[in-house]
Amino acid sequence: MVLLAIATTCLVLFATWGGSKYEWNDPIILGLIAGTVLSAAAFVLVEHRTPEPIIPLHLFKDLNFNLSTIAGLLIGVAMFGAIGYLPTYLQMAFSVNATDSGLLMIPMMGALLVASVVSGQLVSRTGRYKWMPIAGGVLVAAALVLLSTLKPGAPLWEICAYLAVMGLGLGLSMQIMVLIVQNSFPLREVGTATASNNFFRQIGATLGSAVVGSLFAGRLADLLVERLPPAAATGGGAPGGSNSLTPAVVSTLPAPIKEAVISSYNDALTPIFIWMVPLALIAAVLMCFIKERPLATAIEHDVLSESISEGNILVTADDAAAEATVRAGGPRS
């Protein structure tokens, strides 16, 4: 657990600080990269030797697990990279308050909920699921393209529609990827496989937020310096510098400075959406190679068979039938 924590922390820190707080060739960034690689390698060695590993390495021998985990990580990067800054973007670019910016995210969550429920019902009835994460990845990519076209002053229904497309894509992909993982392992390993898959998806979500935040902050600072008058370039005319550029402060700025700040905010963020489109498309392509296995419908029978094969159940089928007869009031053998 210590090695896993060190590897994860170093990974997130160098993704967050690299290119923004520190140059990529800075000793701190190079040290974090080295720490990520060394601690991850040590973690693999420990997991290979310990009798009860946290993430059993044999999980990675399953093709469906690998594809679903990588695709989930990529979708996590795109998802959290996109939606992490949208509420603040809506406040800045469309002059809505914090509550309204949160409410404007409802179309995405509503579409995600509907897509999750409907896809679950379809899987239960048909047993077919491979096409869903493929379609979900394509929809997420389409939503990112649409979000990259946003401009200040666009109608709010347009933003809601784009977010709904994102929600549909996420609803069709995220839970189905978990289902694929769970359907690839026996009952005794379902919890471990699910937790491992979720861990890597959370890594993707954290990386998405960190990388997008780093890129966005750097681009915003450059655009503010370029577009604002020299006297206001350090903070958009706001006391305290650029860190004080909150939506409330921006709304009180003089019109020319306000427009420059809003346009900088928009142009710093929206192009990043298009950069994440390949991630969603790669996830969709990876899911094309998933082997669509029949859904497990007899868990108890599977557990019984495994236990018998391992010698954990001493009773035979005839003994079980005799016991059932006795309980029903029949003769004892």
Side-chain angles (χ1 to χ4, degrees), residues 4 73 95 103 112 150 167 171 216 219 249 271 273 275 285:
L4 187 61
L73 187 150
S95 300
L103 293 175
L112 190 154
L150 286 176
F216 168 66
R219 286 174 54 83
V249 170
F273 295 150
W275 299 349
V285 171

Side-chain angles (χ1 to χ4, degrees), residues 35-78:
T36 302
V37 174
L38 293 176
S39 55
F43 174 75
V44 171
L45 292 176
V46 171
E47 294 297 271
H48 182 71
R49 297 174 61 89
T50 185
E52 295 184 2
I54 298 171
I55 302 179
L57 300 184
H58 72 265
L59 296 179
F60 298 97
K61 296 180 180 179
D62 186 273
L63 178 64
N64 280 5
F65 176 83
N66 291 332
L67 294 177
S68 297
T69 299
I70 296 173
L73 187 150
L74 295 176
I75 291 292
V77 172

